[in-house]
Amino acid sequence: MKNQYFKAASGMYINYFLLGMVNIILASNMVALTEQWDTDSTGISYLIAAIGIGRLLTYGITGILSDRFGRKPLIIVSTIVMLFFLVGIPFSPTYEIAFVFALLAGVSNSAMDAGTYPALTEMFPKSASSASVMVKAFVSLGATVLPFIILFLSENNLFYGYAFLLPAVIYFLNMIFLFFTSFQKVQDGHNSKEDELQLSKFISEPEFWKEGLALIIIGFTSTALFTVSQIWLPSFGQEVAGMSASNSIKLLSYYSVGSLISVLLLSVLLKKLLKPVTVILLYPMITLIAVIVILTVHTPLVLSVTSFFLGASTAGIFQLTIAIMAELFWKKKGTVTGIVSTASSLASVVLPITTGLIAKSGDISHIFLFDCFIATLGILAAVFVNYRYKKLTKHPIILKKG
């Protein structure tokens, strides 16, 4: 790694460490926020959904802007927009104003993704998958740290808004740091040296409506599997396995530990042993097996173990999907990142609604049967991507570089 790019990458990872906090910050401050705006938990859930809507509506345009104006400007702008959210929420006088700030958080997340993922693949082309999957590790770390900050504020009777303002200050300082770091210079999303490098990998040019479409499907299913597990594991533990409320919540801790360990291992293994196209096939297969075990063996111990494996097997797939997409369609990295991210964001909006309707109809086990269907769809798409990748690439290069 060149030192100048390592500094820029460090700044981008700090952004995602903070984004891990943002992802859970509304739910983690639900009591204070419901009192502030005289609403209920459903109202806060709508704010959380608004973040997803903001992402969904803007991923397409931010991807194009990333290719047009470069990665660094988009990342800087994303930080500025996120500052509006973090400062605005604790001081919002009305729920309606807070809803607007939540939409802005989604816009910021969209711009951050569209700038960061292409930038990482350009800065570290020989370890693009490892660089991309580390994003997930920093998101998980941020989500782990925030509850301790909130607990500290609560125990010392301090203003809950400091949990928003502290990340805001770090975001601002990191924005200044990123402003003075060097990014890979590209023109129209690519450069001639990269063209030569990428073309040398392929026997024929990749086709968007084949492997590209399959990767978009994986972008959807990877987020769908992640979303279902995070929402419904505690409920399944209580209703089916007979666990207490406190013990069922621990399932998410096992899930998070599995997720963090998985991405750390992937960051190492992808450099030497594993190919990204192999992982996007292997992981949903593990997920499918874990869900089948959950549906057939209803004991707390087994559910705890399978929660760990669910966390491990659903982690990093979205990031690897983007890395593969950028490798295949390198001339429009920002655009294809936006497209895959749109599919992911659609899943984050659609799956809570769909699974909620399934839950209302009766047995919660039906949700995990639906999860099996999603995992199978992801496996089929990954099989096709593996087939096309082997057909498109020159085998000596696959064996040497993965």
Side-chain angles (χ1 to χ4, degrees):
M1 291 185 181
K2 293 182 179 180
N3 186 51
Q4 57 180 353
Y5 294 156
F6 181 77
K7 289 180 180 178
S10 299
M12 288 185 279
Y13 288 136
I14 290 172
N15 275 347
Y16 278 91
F17 172 79
L18 298 171
L19 184 63
M21 297 184 181
V22 171
N23 286 342
I24 63 169
I25 202 166
L26 293 177
S28 300
N29 289 281
M30 189 171 290
V31 174
L33 295 175
T34 53
E35 292 178 0
Q36 179 172 331
W37 301 314
D38 191 25
T39 184
D40 55 16
S41 58
T42 301
I44 303 303
S45 70
Y46 289 157
L47 282 182
I48 296 171
I51 297 176
I53 293 170
R55 289 197 302 262
L56 180 62
L57 294 177
T58 56
Y59 266 128
I61 184 64
T62 55
I64 295 172
L65 291 175
S66 177
D67 285 334
R68 181 71 180 272
F69 298 106
R71 320 308 181 195
K72 185 174 180 178
L74 208 63
I75 294 171
I76 297 296
V77 169
S78 75
T79 306
I80 295 172
V81 176
M82 188 62 79
L83 287 174
F84 281 104
F85 166 77
L86 289 169
V87 175
I89 288 292
F91 297 108
S92 292
T94 66
Y95 179 84
E96 291 75 17
I97 293 176
F99 195 89
V100 174
F101 284 126
L103 288 172
L104 288 178
V107 174
S108 171
N109 192 171
S110 168
M112 196 178 298
D113 285 351
T116 301
Y117 287 113
L120 289 173
T121 61
E122 289 160 356
M123 290 174 177
F124 311 117
K126 293 182 179 180
S127 56
S129 298
S130 296
S132 296
V133 83
M134 281 301 294
V135 169
K136 177 65 177 178
F138 279 90
V139 170
S140 298
L141 283 173
T144 302
V145 169
L146 181 68
F148 292 99
I149 296 175
I150 294 173
L151 181 62
F152 174 82
L153 295 175
S154 175
E155 289 180 344
N156 291 275
N157 296 315
L158 297 172
F159 175 45
Y160 84 90
Y162 290 139
F164 288 79
L165 297 178
L166 177 60
V169 171
I170 301 174
Y171 257 125
F172 178 74
L173 295 175
N174 194 49
M175 177 187 69
I176 296 174
F177 171 75
L178 281 170
F179 187 82
F180 292 102
T181 58
S182 300
F183 278 59
Q184 173 82 332
K185 293 183 179 180
V186 294
Q187 185 175 0
D188 296 329
H190 63 287
N191 57 47
S192 57
K193 289 185 178 180
E194 186 177 21
D195 285 346
E196 293 175 4
L197 176 63
Q198 293 298 102
L199 285 171
S200 69
K201 293 181 180 180
F202 301 118
I203 298 171
S204 59
E205 191 167 340
E207 297 183 33
F208 182 81
W209 294 111
K210 291 183 179 180
E211 49 273 21
L213 183 59
L215 286 165
I216 292 170
I217 292 172
I218 296 171
F220 179 90
T221 58
S222 62
T223 301
L225 293 171
F226 174 86
T227 301
V228 170
S229 296
Q230 282 210 320
I231 294 175
W232 295 106
L233 270 177
S235 298
F236 188 90
Q238 282 185 268
E239 296 183 22
V240 179
M243 300 174 70
S244 65
S246 58
N247 284 332
S248 66
I249 291 297
K250 290 181 181 178
L251 295 176
L252 292 180
S253 297
Y254 302 141
Y255 182 95
S256 298
V257 170
S259 175
L260 184 57
I261 291 175
S262 176
V263 293
L264 292 176
L265 284 175
L266 281 178
S267 67
V268 176
L269 295 177
L270 285 168
K271 293 180 180 179
K272 296 181 179 180
L273 298 176
L274 290 177
K275 294 180 290 186
V277 289
T278 303
V279 176
I280 65 170
L281 174 59
L282 177 63
Y283 269 30
M285 293 174 68
I286 297 173
T287 300
L288 180 60
I289 293 170
V291 174
I292 291 173
V293 171
I294 285 174
L295 288 169
T296 53
V297 185
H298 302 154
T299 63
L301 176 60
V302 171
L303 190 54
S304 298
V305 174
T306 50
S307 295
F308 173 88
F309 281 102
L310 276 177
S313 61
T314 56
I317 301 300
F318 170 68
Q319 287 77 19
L320 289 179
T321 302
I322 288 180
I324 298 168
M325 195 75 154
E327 178 188 358
L328 294 174
F329 306 100
W330 70 94
K331 294 182 180 179
K332 294 292 182 182
K333 290 190 185 75
T335 301
V336 296
T337 296
I339 294 171
V340 175
S341 298
T342 298
S344 170
S345 188
L346 182 63
S348 68
V349 174
V350 170
L351 265 295
I353 298 172
T354 303
T355 53
L357 293 174
I358 294 173
K360 284 185 178 180
S361 68
D363 193 347
I364 196 172
S365 295
H366 293 161
I367 292 174
F368 285 88
L369 285 172
F370 180 60
D371 208 33
C372 287
F373 168 76
I374 296 171
T376 302
L377 180 61
I379 291 169
L380 293 174
V383 168
F384 181 75
V385 171
N386 271 264
Y387 165 74
R388 286 288 299 168
Y389 191 89
K390 290 177 182 178
K391 188 175 180 179
L392 289 170
T393 52
K394 297 178 180 179
H395 294 282
I397 291 179
I398 294 178
L399 295 173
K400 183 179 179 181
K401 298 181 179 179

